[in-house]
Amino acid sequence: MSMAYEEYMRQLVKPMREELTRGGFKELTTAEEVEEFMESVEGTTFVVVNSVCGCAAGLARPSATHAVLHTEKKPDHIVTVFAGQDKEATAKMREYFTGIEPSSPSMALLKGKEVVHFIPRHDIEGQPIETIFENIMTAFDQHC
C-alpha cells in the first residue's frame, strides 16, 4: 500500500478512535500490547472491538461510552482494539474470545480471561441505542 493511502486511513479513523479514548478506553494497537495486557489482567474488562462501519459510529461507540460513564458498577478495565486497522491486535484479542465468531463491531465483558458476556454485531446493527445500552448495563450489573 502507498504511504499516502496509509496516512489517509490514519486520519480518517482518528476521530473514531478518539471517541472511545475520550470516554476512558485504553487503546491496544499491537498484538504485543494485547498479550501483555491480557496475561496480567485481573478483575473485569470491557472490550470494544471498534470498526469504521455506521453501526459502530451510530450505535456501538456511543452505547459503550455512555455505559462506562453513567454507571456505578464499572468494569475494572476498559479497552479497545480496532478491527480492520490494527489487525494483529484485533486478531490477538479475538484469541481470548474462545468459541466466539469474529464480529465487528462487538463488545465483550471478561472476568480474568473468560468471556462472561458478548455482544456481536447482529445485536448492535439495527437495534435501538437504548437496547444496546441496556444490554451493556445488564452485563455490568451481573458481573461487575
Side-chain angles (χ1 to χ4, degrees):
M1 279 188 232
S2 76
M3 293 300 288
Y5 174 78
E6 290 177 19
E7 181 57 28
Y8 170 78
M9 289 305 295
R10 270 193 292 280
Q11 293 304 314
L12 179 72
V13 301
K14 186 176 178 185
M16 298 174 198
R17 293 177 183 278
E18 291 173 349
E19 186 173 355
L20 290 172
T21 58
R22 275 193 316 270
F25 284 80
K26 178 180 180 175
E27 193 171 36
L28 304 174
T29 60
T30 67
E32 294 78 20
E33 287 177 346
V34 170
E35 186 169 14
E36 182 179 312
F37 175 81
M38 290 301 295
E39 292 305 315
S40 64
V41 73
E42 293 181 5
T44 53
T45 303
F46 183 48
V47 180
V48 173
V49 178
N50 201 355
S51 175
V52 298
C53 71
C55 62
L59 299 169
R61 290 191 300 266
S63 297
T65 54
H66 189 75
V68 299
L69 293 173
H70 295 94
T71 184
E72 289 183 27
K73 287 190 168 185
K74 295 183 190 297
D76 299 310
H77 312 278
I78 53 174
V79 299
T80 182
V81 294
F82 206 124
Q85 301 302 307
D86 302 322
K87 294 175 185 175
E88 293 82 12
T90 303
K92 179 55 80 176
M93 183 59 78
R94 285 177 171 155
E95 289 177 15
Y96 294 94
F97 301 168
T98 307
I100 299 172
E101 290 292 319
S103 180
S104 58
S106 61
M107 301 175 212
L109 184 62
L110 294 89
K111 275 192 176 181
K113 296 178 201 155
E114 178 188 354
V115 175
V116 293
H117 189 82
F118 190 77
I119 304 171
R121 179 187 180 112
H122 70 264
D123 286 343
I124 297 169
E125 188 176 34
Q127 298 298 316
I129 197 165
E130 298 82 10
T131 301
I132 302 161
F133 174 74
E134 286 301 319
N135 191 342
I136 299 166
M137 296 302 286
T138 298
F140 288 1
D141 286 344
Q142 291 176 352
H143 301 288
C144 295

